[in-house]
Amino acid sequence: LEAEAGLWRSRLHHSPELPVVIPPPREFGEGTAERPSKGGEPDLPSRFNEHERGKAGAASPLRILVIGESSGRGEPYHPWLSVGQIVGWRLEKIFPGRPIQVDIWATGGAILESMHQMLPDLTYRPDALIVYVGHNEYQGRYAWMREVGYYLDGDRGSNSVHHFSAANSFLPFSPLVRLLEETRERQRLDSLPPRAVTRELVDRPVCTKAESRAIEDDFRRRLEAIALYCESIRTLPIFIIPPSNDAGWDPSRSVLPAETPRAERAAFAKEVAHAIALEGKDSAEAIRIDRELLKRHPDFAETHFRLARLLEQTGRWEEAKEHYAQARERDGLPLRCPEPFRQVYRDVAARHPSVLLVDGPKVLEAKSRHGITDGHFFHDAQHPNLSGYVVLAEDLMKQLGARRAFGWPAEMPVPVVDAAACARHFGIDSARWAEIASREAWFFTVTAYIRYDPQLRNRLAAEYVQAAAAIRAGRDPA
């Protein structure tokens, strides 16, 4: 069983063997389209025949493939528009008469591993490959309510994955046990959280530090492999670092150090609740208490978020921005692309000059008020609104123009990407705006009870429900 489980896990998490390019026949002798085989080398399942494609010349389609998560496919606007579709539309102005084809493989809830393993299905060589993924690396592996047996005093929740006793310490390394746990989590991914408060202010993380490190390592390895693959088949790799809503999304779980005793956890929770109660009465005192709490436990996400909101109200923008970022990074259930994954994008791009990097967080921070990303560019935790998608597409277009990519004419300026024109072109009318609002209401409703206090998310869900009803009743979506 252990041997079979090990083999099965290796198949589940394998690095795929990807299609290669067949060069024009002249490279290997007239009349043959096959590369000479090397001794014992197996044939790959598919190859791209560049000889036939090259005959079409300048009129051949410019093909853009998009892989990634729901933001990569443009939620909540899918299938009407996305970053890739906006870029494809604007490229039509640069290459009049040339077909622009945008192929979207991005899938809701996808992780980089699943996208990487889809690439063997390619039957053509894309001119550009857009990678937009990073928000779901935890939620795409673990159920919403999953937690680990975390605190050293043995306090465990009903959904925790228990630590094993010292006598059975080998079990976490058992391929069979790990396969069973992975299978269990996959079967629970679509289970929605209960519509009741079940979490606590002082919560537990969704996974262990070792599991988190393994996810980061796998992300780095696969992104590097995709960059190398694009170089090998002469495809332009375009990496979009997923930006997130820092000020408009509260952390889902806040965690104290594992060695914190139960009594201290309870006392700390009371102090945090006291500071929250003061926010509307004496904000200066609430700020003072929050600062003291963070001196004792600097990794507690909820306090960072609460302090950031108070600082923002008093105009201390830089400090507020830092605490919003800390709240995002210390969330025990990450739904926004954490900084380690963002840095992987930057590291891989630095090693591969061929990569066109759209640094989504920095791009949107530069356009945001006081550098704080919020509801001006986002609908929810990770899905940009129309303005957000337009800003990302605009940055991508500027970089394509600077590179003169795909034979971009030297005299052709970068076309403006206007949000209103974008909405008109893609047919985002009142009926679709109402649908978009309804989708967002669903998102906030589903995620409200994965944290101890659903108040903010329930309020936003209600506002989207009201917006959808108002639009359907004839109100101007603007």
Side-chain angles (χ1 to χ4, degrees), residues 307-372:
L307 177 57
R309 290 208 304 185
L310 293 172
L311 293 170
E312 190 175 12
Q313 292 167 13
T314 58
R316 285 172 271 189
W317 311 111
E318 284 301 318
E319 191 179 0
K321 178 182 177 180
E322 176 60 25
H323 284 289
Y324 278 131
Q326 294 295 327
R328 178 192 69 233
E329 293 304 307
R330 284 158 174 72
D331 195 335
L333 175 59
L335 298 183
R336 296 170 290 182
C337 184
E339 186 60 32
F341 296 95
R342 298 177 178 190
Q343 192 57 46
V344 168
Y345 274 107
R346 297 177 186 123
D347 292 344
V348 173
R351 288 194 296 272
H352 298 273
S354 63
V355 172
L356 188 159
L357 181 67
V358 177
D359 197 324
K362 292 183 179 179
V363 169
L364 289 184
E365 285 171 9
K367 297 277 188 177
S368 298
R369 298 180 306 169
H370 312 292
I372 298 173

Side-chain angles (χ1 to χ4, degrees), residues 263-286:
E264 185 178 339
R265 298 199 299 271
F268 187 82
K270 287 183 179 179
E271 293 180 73
V272 173
H274 175 60
I276 293 172
L278 287 173
E279 289 176 354
K281 303 173 184 177
D282 188 349
S283 59
E285 179 63 9

Side-chain angles (χ1 to χ4, degrees), residues 26 35 48 54 68 110 165 205 238 252 284 293 344:
R26 63 180 178 274
R35 184 187 299 271
F48 309 135
S165 66
I238 300 173
S252 296
L293 292 173
V344 168

Side-chain angles (χ1 to χ4, degrees), residues 1-15 113 117 141-142 146 171-184 186 210-211 214-215 218 221-222:
L1 282 173
E2 290 291 348
E4 290 289 346
L7 288 171
W8 190 255
R9 287 191 74 246
S10 69
R11 294 191 191 103
L12 285 175
H13 303 297
H14 73 285
S15 291
E113 178 185 73
Q117 292 176 349
R141 287 177 168 88
Y142 305 124
R146 194 225 200 203
L171 288 179
F173 304 100
S174 159
L176 178 60
V177 170
R178 295 174 70 180
L179 178 62
L180 290 171
E181 289 184 354
E182 286 182 31
T183 305
R184 174 177 180 266
R186 280 197 303 275
E211 288 172 327
I215 293 171
D218 184 72
R221 178 173 60 85
R222 293 184 186 277

Side-chain angles (χ1 to χ4, degrees), residues 131-399:
V131 180
Y132 188 148
V133 66
H135 289 310
N136 301 318
E137 296 303 310
Y138 294 92
Q139 191 270 320
R141 287 177 168 88
Y142 305 124
W144 292 102
M145 305 305 284
R146 194 225 200 203
E147 60 192 32
V148 293
Y150 174 70
Y151 293 106
L152 299 184
D153 58 12
D155 184 41
R156 295 169 179 162
S158 59
N159 295 290
S160 63
V161 178
H162 293 186
H163 288 307
F164 297 97
S165 66
N168 294 324
S169 60
F170 69 91
L171 288 179
F173 304 100
S174 159
L176 178 60
V177 170
R178 295 174 70 180
L179 178 62
L180 290 171
E181 289 184 354
E182 286 182 31
T183 305
R184 174 177 180 266
E185 289 305 312
R186 280 197 303 275
Q187 296 302 322
R188 297 173 65 217
L189 285 180
D190 291 333
S191 299
L192 298 181
R195 293 286 298 160
V197 176
T198 60
R199 311 307 308 178
E200 299 174 348
L201 173 57
V202 177
D203 213 324
R204 303 164 188 82
V206 69
C207 65
T208 66
K209 290 183 178 179
E211 288 172 327
S212 183
R213 284 193 298 270
I215 293 171
E216 291 175 20
D217 291 343
D218 184 72
F219 191 90
R220 181 181 300 275
R221 178 173 60 85
R222 293 184 186 277
L223 198 65
E224 178 78 22
I226 290 172
L228 287 168
Y229 179 60
C230 287
E231 291 173 344
S232 73
I233 64 171
R234 303 190 300 280
T235 288
L236 173 64
I238 300 173
F239 292 171
I240 300 178
I241 304 179
S244 61
N245 184 352
D246 288 350
W249 182 263
D250 39 13
S252 296
R253 297 189 193 176
S254 300
V255 178
L256 291 175
E259 63 273 12
T260 312
R262 183 183 291 106
E264 185 178 339
R265 298 199 299 271
F268 187 82
K270 287 183 179 179
E271 293 180 73
V272 173
H274 175 60
I276 293 172
L278 287 173
E279 289 176 354
K281 303 173 184 177
D282 188 349
S283 59
E285 179 63 9
I287 289 174
R288 185 194 67 79
I289 295 174
D290 283 342
R291 292 189 193 281
E292 289 297 322
L293 292 173
L294 288 175
K295 285 181 181 178
R296 287 157 50 192
H297 291 296
D299 291 335
F300 198 70
E302 185 74 13
T303 304
H304 278 291
F305 182 79
R306 295 283 180 172
L307 177 57
R309 290 208 304 185
L310 293 172
L311 293 170
E312 190 175 12
Q313 292 167 13
T314 58
R316 285 172 271 189
W317 311 111
E318 284 301 318
E319 191 179 0
K321 178 182 177 180
E322 176 60 25
H323 284 289
Y324 278 131
Q326 294 295 327
R328 178 192 69 233
E329 293 304 307
R330 284 158 174 72
D331 195 335
L333 175 59
L335 298 183
R336 296 170 290 182
C337 184
E339 186 60 32
F341 296 95
R342 298 177 178 190
Q343 192 57 46
V344 168
Y345 274 107
R346 297 177 186 123
D347 292 344
V348 173
R351 288 194 296 272
H352 298 273
S354 63
V355 172
L356 188 159
L357 181 67
V358 177
D359 197 324
K362 292 183 179 179
V363 169
L364 289 184
E365 285 171 9
K367 297 277 188 177
S368 298
R369 298 180 306 169
H370 312 292
I372 298 173
T373 53
D374 56 19
H376 284 80
F377 286 118
F378 288 91
H379 283 298
D380 49 53
Q382 67 274 90
H383 300 113
N385 59 23
L386 178 59
S387 297
Y389 281 127
V390 164
V391 169
L392 295 175
E394 190 174 58
D395 185 80
L396 200 165
M397 287 294 296
K398 287 179 180 177
Q399 294 195 55

